[in-house]
Amino acid sequence: YPKAVLSTYPPGFSEFGSYQGGNACPRLCTCQFSKNEIENGIIRINVHGQAHSSDEKPTQIAFIAAGFFFAHASFLRDVPFDPYVPWCFMGEEIALSIRAWTSGWSIYAPRESLIAHQYRPGRLGLPKFWESVGRDSGRPGLNTKLQKHVIRRIRHMVGYSDSSSELIQQEGDGIVLTDYEHYS
């Protein structure tokens, strides 16, 4: 598996030290268009079924979870992070999955979860992702403005007809580079 990625949505936890590991892993293999107005109809990844430690080998899946993926360091050379999607949250996984697949990487679900993820940092008194953008930049509300441009770029990469290069430029968002033009 020279160009393999292991990825899943790790289970959540509520208290530090409470997760023991060994859970079955969700398989990221379905998706749907978001109905959330803020997400602007972006494709959202969903799970369907689980991989188990008794499986003979990891199951191939279609999508990468941004919260947990493991690959050889050459992944960063083949699929570098897009500098035009800063602070990306909505759309990050679909864009990363598409770019990985088109660069020859195969994605697999691990057979069991060995880590956990804190999905609700507010319960621990920590800022949420979108709160940290305004805090770090000293500009409250900056994330909302950035997200408009980031989601537009993701929609363009995926091929949404309402996010063509021409329409983006007409609205004053500058020239859009295709993946080939930018990453070659």
Side-chain angles (χ1 to χ4, degrees), residues 48-101:
H48 183 74
Q50 295 186 331
H52 299 278
S53 59
S54 59
D55 293 344
E56 187 176 318
K57 57 186 178 180
T59 305
Q60 191 165 15
I61 57 176
F63 303 109
I64 294 175
F68 172 75
F69 69 96
F70 179 82
H72 188 271
S74 59
F75 181 87
L76 295 173
R77 182 186 58 239
D78 292 350
V79 189
F81 288 100
D82 186 340
Y84 295 103
V85 290
W87 299 96
C88 184
F89 188 77
M90 303 304 173
E92 175 185 23
E93 294 171 332
I94 193 67
L96 187 60
S97 300
I98 289 169
R99 293 179 49 240
W101 275 104

Side-chain angles (χ1 to χ4, degrees), residues 33-46:
F33 291 100
S34 172
K35 293 175 177 49
N36 183 321
E37 189 175 314
I38 294 171
E39 295 176 16
N40 199 15
I42 204 76
I43 297 173
R44 295 296 307 260
I45 296 169
N46 291 321

Side-chain angles (χ1 to χ4, degrees), residues 10-20 23 115-121 123-124 126:
F13 68 91
S14 57
E15 294 179 28
F16 287 110
S18 64
Y19 181 69
Q20 300 300 312
N23 296 26
I115 65 167
H117 182 73
Q118 178 48 258
Y119 290 100
R120 304 283 183 240
R123 293 181 184 164
L124 300 175
L126 303 171

